[in-house]
Amino acid sequence: MPSFKPPRCPNADCPRHTDPQPRFYRRRGSYWPKCRAAPIPRYHCKSCSRSFSRQTFRHDYRDHRPELNEACSCC
Ligand SMILES: [Zn+2]
C-alpha cells in the first residue's frame, strides 16, 4: 500500500491550508472502519490541531460517485 502524505490542512481557516509546510501534520493513531481491511492512519495539524485522515481528502477529490459514498458511509 502506498504511503499517504496529507497535501495540506483541510481546515480552510488554517494557514497550512493554503501554505502547507513540510511535516505540518503529526500522526495520531489510526482508526479501523468495519468496511476496510486495514486501519486508516489519522493525523492532526500542528497549526490548528484539526484532525483528519486520508479519507478527508478522498472526499474532496473524488466526490463524483455518490453511489459509492452511500454504499460505505463510514468511510
Ligand atoms: Zn491546520
Side-chain angles (χ1 to χ4, degrees), residues 30-48:
S30 60
Y31 71 103
W32 200 319
K34 292 186 177 124
C35 58
R36 306 285 296 188
I40 296 173
R42 295 195 60 82
Y43 306 90
H44 88 272
C45 175
K46 292 178 183 175
S47 292
C48 69

Side-chain angles (χ1 to χ4, degrees), residues 4 6 8-11 14 24-31 41-57:
F4 169 76
R8 65 178 66 82
C9 179
N11 179 3
C14 177
F24 73 90
Y25 57 89
R26 189 186 293 274
R27 278 285 300 272
R28 194 190 208 180
S30 60
Y31 71 103
R42 295 195 60 82
Y43 306 90
H44 88 272
C45 175
K46 292 178 183 175
S47 292
C48 69
S49 297
R50 157 102 184 235
S51 62
F52 54 92
S53 74
R54 179 166 65 178
Q55 300 303 125
T56 307
F57 297 99

